[in-house]
């Protein structure tokens, strides 16, 4: 809801202070992709094909931005701006300047995580991440950066665990446990 409120406020402000040719006004239509690439693609196809919109704000997740951009908006020639997706893959899309990300890429987050980890001087590191463009990118970039920073004491990343969008672990290398009422139960 905060994102929708921000968009509504921006549109109201724009329409109040700007005169477009022919007396046109800017409007918006919200579509909820529920974090699903399939729903995001279907919404983008409807917006670009049926409604012929000039621009799309969103999706908010990197994986959906990449899928929507490559499969729908770039081929349709529709501008797409994401308010929150950070995957560095967005930077290198062959997009004719149609896909914008006004937030820094995962490279900065990975560097910050690696720098903070080096202050702790661990011998080993385990990383957890979502099995999507964001999670895979962060894990890859942190791993690359840690090795030269920790040098002699660093024995490597002992394991990476990636989670599917539904929360299931993808090829778990270790078992995670939940403690409830004094009992240890494997986390599925």
């Amino acid at each position: 809801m905060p994102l929708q409120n921000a968009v509504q406020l921006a549109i109201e402000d724009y329409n109040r202070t700007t005169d477009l040719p022919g007396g046109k006004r800017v409007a918006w239509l919200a579509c909820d992709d529920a974090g699903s690439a399939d729903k995001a693609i279907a919404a983008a196809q409807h917006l670009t094909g049926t409604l012929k919109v000039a621009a799309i704000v969103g999706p908010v997740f990197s994986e959906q931005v990449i899928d929507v951009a490559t499969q729908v908006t770039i081929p349709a020639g529709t501008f797409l701006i994401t308010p929150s997706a950070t995957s560095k893959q967005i930077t290198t899309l062959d997009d004719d300047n149609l896909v914008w990300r006004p937030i820094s890429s995962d490279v900065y987050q990975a560097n910050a995580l690696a720098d903070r980890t080096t202050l702790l001087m661990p011998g080993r590191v385990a990383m957890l991440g979502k099995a999507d463009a964001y999670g895979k990118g962060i894990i890859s970039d942190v791993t690359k950066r840690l090795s030269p920073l920790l040098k002699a004491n660093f024995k490597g990343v002992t394991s990476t665990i990636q989670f599917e969008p539904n929360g299931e672990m993808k090829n778990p290398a270790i078992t995670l446990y939940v403690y409830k009422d004094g009992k240890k139960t494997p986390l599925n």
Side-chain angles (χ1 to χ4, degrees):
M1 195 60 136
L3 180 58
Q4 291 179 352
N5 290 341
V7 171
Q8 184 63 40
L9 181 63
I11 288 173
E12 288 171 5
D13 184 53
Y14 183 85
N15 284 334
R16 186 175 58 256
T17 61
T18 306
D19 293 321
L20 294 173
K24 292 184 178 181
R25 317 263 306 153
V26 172
W28 73 287
L29 170 68
C31 297
D32 184 1
D33 64 24
S36 161
D38 292 338
K39 289 180 181 179
I41 290 168
Q45 288 170 334
H46 175 70
L47 292 169
T48 60
T50 305
L51 300 179
K52 309 279 189 230
V53 300
I56 294 176
V57 177
V60 296
F61 298 119
S62 296
E63 191 87 7
Q64 285 82 3
V65 168
I66 294 164
D67 289 345
V68 166
T70 57
Q71 295 178 41
V72 182
T73 61
I74 295 169
T78 302
F79 178 75
L80 182 147
I81 185 167
T82 175
S84 58
T86 57
S87 172
K88 69 180 183 180
Q89 293 176 9
I90 296 168
T91 307
T92 58
L93 288 175
D94 185 12
D95 63 3
D96 293 325
N97 208 26
L98 288 170
V99 181
W100 287 19
R101 181 196 62 220
I103 188 170
S104 60
S105 81
D106 295 342
V107 172
Y108 294 98
Q109 293 177 53
N111 288 342
L113 286 168
D115 290 346
R116 175 66 180 136
T117 302
T118 60
L119 294 176
L120 302 171
M121 296 303 293
R124 296 178 185 201
V125 175
M127 291 188 280
L128 303 170
K130 192 174 174 189
D132 65 2
Y134 172 77
K136 290 175 185 176
I138 290 284
I139 288 172
S140 173
D141 290 345
V142 169
T143 302
K144 287 176 193 170
R145 183 144 163 83
L146 277 179
S147 192
L149 289 175
L150 293 174
K151 296 188 173 88
N153 293 335
F154 187 57
K155 294 175 180 58
V157 173
T158 58
S159 63
T160 61
I161 301 169
Q162 297 180 353
F163 292 87
E164 296 294 343
N166 66 1
E168 294 292 321
M169 286 187 279
K170 181 177 182 176
N171 302 320
I174 63 173
T175 302
L176 300 177
Y177 293 92
V178 173
Y179 287 88
K180 186 174 182 181
D181 300 324
K183 294 179 184 177
K184 180 172 88 171
T185 308
L187 179 65
N188 296 340

